[in-house]
Amino acid sequence: MAPERESTRERTPVGATAATRHRTPRLDQPRPPRRRILPEWDPEAFGRLSEKIARFLGTGRFIVWMTVVIILWVVWNIFAPAVLRFDNYPFIFLTLMLSLQASYAAPLILLAQNRQDDRDRVNLEQDRKQNERSIADTEYLTREIATLRMGLGEVATRDWIRSELQDLIKELEERRRHEGHVVFPAERTERSQGRDADDR
């Protein structure tokens, strides 16, 4: 009877069950995307689009096209048949369209300016780092040149050796004149040979 009771009894696994495993998020897998009520957009793509629009709004072409549209709008609503006119003399609808265009143009221009400011900030930071590296390299080269100058100050140059030898020769000649004898033995032998030749 005891073995039958064990077989009929429902076994529960020890530890984490499948139900609890699905409830806790796994750290080795990315989270599933959440459903959002608001639509998503790429901020970089929207920023690039706003910059294109802001660049177009700042050109003479936009002013020319806007002037042409306003002139056609006014001419149509003044000289067209009364049935085909859609905006009578005070041109309220034209004012509404221009204010709508201005209300959209201002934030787009501000967004484009903010992106340009961010780019300028990054460029200034890169320029500052480049200037710091250039200053550090210049200081290093200045120190190296100073050490080379100090090292060259202790090296005997050809002109210095020549001047020292000339001073020694002058000093020896002055001693020879005062003492009356030849300092260099090679000169003595040459002079003695010259005297012998003269005697012959």
Side-chain angles (χ1 to χ4, degrees):
M1 294 292 236
E4 291 176 3
R5 287 180 187 172
E6 289 180 4
S7 63
T8 57
R9 194 185 328 164
E10 191 176 320
R11 292 186 180 180
T12 57
V14 180
T17 61
T20 58
R21 197 178 305 150
H22 288 298
R23 288 178 191 166
T24 58
R26 294 186 60 177
L27 297 177
D28 60 340
Q29 293 179 354
R31 289 183 178 179
R34 297 180 182 176
R35 292 182 181 176
R36 295 189 179 181
I37 300 171
L38 297 175
E40 294 183 15
W41 64 85
D42 185 13
E44 289 298 318
F46 187 73
R48 286 192 294 269
L49 178 65
S50 68
E51 284 181 345
K52 287 180 182 178
I53 294 172
R55 285 194 190 101
F56 178 68
L57 291 176
T59 59
R61 186 188 306 170
F62 171 73
I63 295 172
V64 169
W65 279 109
M66 192 172 74
T67 306
V68 168
V69 167
I70 290 172
I71 290 172
L72 289 175
W73 187 296
V74 171
V75 168
W76 179 266
N77 287 304
I78 289 175
F79 297 108
V83 181
L84 298 176
R85 294 179 193 169
F86 56 89
D87 191 15
N88 290 326
Y89 165 67
F91 306 118
I92 298 171
F93 189 54
L94 177 63
T95 307
L96 176 66
M97 293 302 293
L98 290 175
S99 62
L100 184 66
Q101 180 263 332
S103 65
Y104 272 99
L108 289 174
I109 291 170
L110 287 175
L111 181 59
Q113 285 180 351
N114 289 338
R115 285 173 59 86
Q116 185 63 40
D117 289 342
D118 293 340
R119 280 196 296 270
D120 292 342
R121 192 177 302 112
V122 170
N123 290 335
L124 286 173
E125 185 68 23
Q126 290 177 352
D127 291 343
R128 187 182 63 79
K129 289 180 180 177
Q130 182 66 32
N131 288 337
E132 287 178 356
R133 285 195 294 268
S134 299
I135 290 170
D137 292 342
T138 305
E139 289 177 353
Y140 172 75
L141 290 174
T142 305
R143 285 194 298 270
E144 289 296 316
I145 290 171
T147 53
L148 285 174
R149 282 183 179 174
M150 291 172 64
L152 285 175
E154 298 173 359
V155 174
T157 61
R158 186 174 56 184
D159 294 335
W160 181 80
I161 292 173
R162 186 178 294 160
S163 65
E164 290 293 320
L165 288 174
Q166 287 175 356
D167 291 342
L168 283 173
I169 290 171
K170 286 179 183 176
E171 185 179 344
L172 291 173
E173 285 178 356
E174 287 177 2
R175 282 185 187 176
R176 187 180 67 179
R177 287 179 193 154
H178 289 300
E179 295 176 2
H181 64 284
V182 179
V183 177
F184 297 109
E187 288 183 4
R188 180 181 291 173
T189 55
E190 287 177 2
R191 286 182 181 178
S192 62
Q193 288 176 359
R195 286 176 187 169
D196 293 340
D198 290 339
D199 293 339
R200 287 179 190 170

